[in-house]
Amino acid sequence: MPARRKARKRALDVLFEADLRDLPVDEVLQAYIKRLEQPRPEHLGYAIGLIEGVNAHLDRIDELIASYAEGWTLDRMPVVDRNLARIAVYELLYVDEIDDAVAITEAVELARQMSTDDSPRFLNGMLARIAEFTTH
C-alpha cells in the first residue's frame, strides 16, 4: 500500500473513532499516537496533517459535503463514508500537491475496501461535483 494511502487510512481511523465516540479529534489523535510502536511510520506526518487539517476546516468541509451529497444528510451517511469524504475534501481544497483526481481515487479505493458496495460510486460522484465547484 502506498505511503499516502496508509496515511489516509490512519487519518480515517482517528477521524472515525472521534466521530463515532463523539470525542475531540485532538484527544483521539494524541491517544492514537501514544499507542503506536517505535519507530513511528514515515507517513505519520502526512496522516497528522490530514487529521489536523480536517479538524481545523470541519465546518467548511461539512458544508460542502452536505451541499453536494444528493439525497443524503451528513448524519445519515455511514461514518466511514463521511470521514473519507472529509479527508478527500480537505485534500481537494487545501493540499495543493495532491491532484484532485488522486484525492478522489484514494477516497473511492478506501471506500471499496472498508465500506458498503454503494459507497465508492456515491463518493466518486459527490467528490467529483465538489472538485468541479472548487476549481471554477
Side-chain angles (χ1 to χ4, degrees):
M1 186 183 297
R4 286 211 170 143
R5 183 169 301 158
K6 289 179 186 173
R8 289 179 185 95
K9 167 71 174 74
R10 286 184 187 277
L12 175 63
D13 290 345
V14 171
L15 293 170
F16 177 90
E17 181 181 346
D19 193 356
L20 194 66
R21 297 178 62 203
D22 198 26
L23 294 171
V25 170
D26 45 350
E27 181 181 304
V28 174
L29 175 59
Q30 292 311 313
Y32 183 83
I33 291 171
K34 284 181 187 172
R35 290 191 307 263
L36 289 176
E37 294 180 20
Q38 298 289 349
R40 295 200 169 125
E42 289 180 24
H43 60 267
L44 184 61
Y46 190 72
I48 291 170
L50 291 174
I51 294 161
E52 291 175 342
V54 166
N55 195 35
H57 299 282
L58 189 61
D59 291 343
R60 175 72 175 130
I61 291 168
D62 280 357
E63 176 186 313
L64 281 168
I65 293 169
S67 297
Y68 287 88
E70 295 174 355
W72 286 90
T73 62
L74 272 169
D75 292 341
R76 279 191 55 228
M77 258 178 231
V79 179
V80 170
D81 295 0
R82 180 169 55 235
N83 286 287
L84 282 172
R86 286 172 172 161
I87 292 166
V89 171
Y90 173 74
E91 286 185 315
L92 289 171
L93 296 179
Y94 303 105
V95 185
D96 293 336
E97 71 264 17
I98 301 293
D99 290 338
D100 289 358
V102 171
I104 294 168
T105 300
E106 289 294 318
V108 168
E109 188 56 39
L110 284 169
R112 190 171 281 122
Q113 295 170 18
M114 306 180 71
S115 196
T116 70
D117 290 344
D118 295 330
S119 296
R121 189 171 43 84
F122 166 74
L123 283 172
N124 188 55
M126 178 185 63
L127 294 170
R129 288 188 298 277
I130 291 171
E132 188 176 311
F133 165 76
T134 59
T135 56
H136 293 291

